[in-house]
Amino acid sequence: MNRRIRTVLGVALAATLVTTAAPAPAASAHDRRPTVITLPDGFQPEGVAAAGRYAWFGSRATGEIYRADLITGAGKQVSPATGTPSLGLKVDARGRLFVAGGTAGDARVVDTRTGAVLASYRFAEAPTFVNDVALTRDAAWFTDSNRPVLYRLPLGRGGKLPPAGGFTTLPLTGDFQQSGTGVNLNGIAPTPDGRALIVVQSNTGTLFRVDPATGVTTAVDVPGATFLNGDGLLLLGRRLYVVQNFLNQVAVVDLNRAGTAGVARGVITDPGFDVPTTVAAALGRLYLPNGRFTTSPTPTTPYTVVAVDAR
């Protein structure tokens, strides 16, 4: 598999560097977009994907998919509960939502317009934790926090989805080493040049570059930085955002084109963060669902999404 991987980008960012931890500036008087979006009580969000004025959120408790209007804050269920988790999410230009299935060891593809499940894939049996997903020109890539592998769904001409067994498992070698029983591999994104992938190992705080043809991994050199509790990743241009969930912050790194090295540019924080998990970009902002992992969930526990300016 030698075809070039191209990054699926959101919005372009300005070159302003983040040098200090600070909440997002106040919105202008004419900006009526909400900075906090309310999700259904008891929802327990994990993943987020965004396109245009909409964002989709997955429930780690039930598998429900919820869509929110980023202009008005209104929302509705677009795909019902599955009884298994919906974790990392990505949406493609065809309106298809790729969903990581956590402990179910699976993934599914959902039509964002109808909520219909277009395809399902069973990657592994327990112990497994299919955690996050990245889209490239010719594949969807999934991490497994319990195993040192990536799962690849090849996309055919016109984005055609493969049959149920049409995925491959890529074992990882090189610098990455599975560590203990905690969360290992988590967020995933393409490199700026589109030739490889970047993953974060949550329990060691290390970023790795993955060769998608061989599975060989090399640690990304970011002097003076660690990414402990790294969760969702978002690449915009050469800027990588690393959500550090329990630290209630987003680390900002400017990568070189190959993704082999980077420079830490500081962190983004916000008073509204309550263990944010993942991040998506839309309308010049970053949107982060609060997982609230330190709060015991109940059917009436409130959950929110926080919007901060993209920097």
Side-chain angles (χ1 to χ4, degrees), residues 120-217:
S120 297
Y121 305 91
R122 174 58 61 88
F123 296 139
E125 303 295 333
T128 180
F129 196 80
V130 181
N131 201 332
D132 210 349
V133 54
L135 296 181
T136 64
R137 179 181 61 85
D138 57 4
W141 292 88
F142 295 81
T143 58
D144 191 327
S145 296
N146 283 355
R147 301 182 181 205
V149 301
L150 298 180
Y151 305 112
R152 179 180 182 267
L153 287 183
L155 302 177
R157 179 173 295 182
K160 183 180 179 180
L161 298 171
F167 64 87
T168 56
T169 300
L170 180 69
L172 300 185
T173 62
D175 289 348
F176 175 83
Q177 298 292 318
Q178 194 81 356
S179 177
T181 57
V183 176
N184 278 261
L185 287 177
N186 201 328
I188 182 170
T191 54
D193 65 4
R195 296 181 180 275
L197 298 159
I198 298 287
V199 295
V200 63
Q201 187 174 19
S202 293
N203 55 0
T204 67
T206 307
L207 293 174
F208 294 92
R209 182 185 186 274
V210 183
D211 184 325
T214 66
V216 173
T217 64

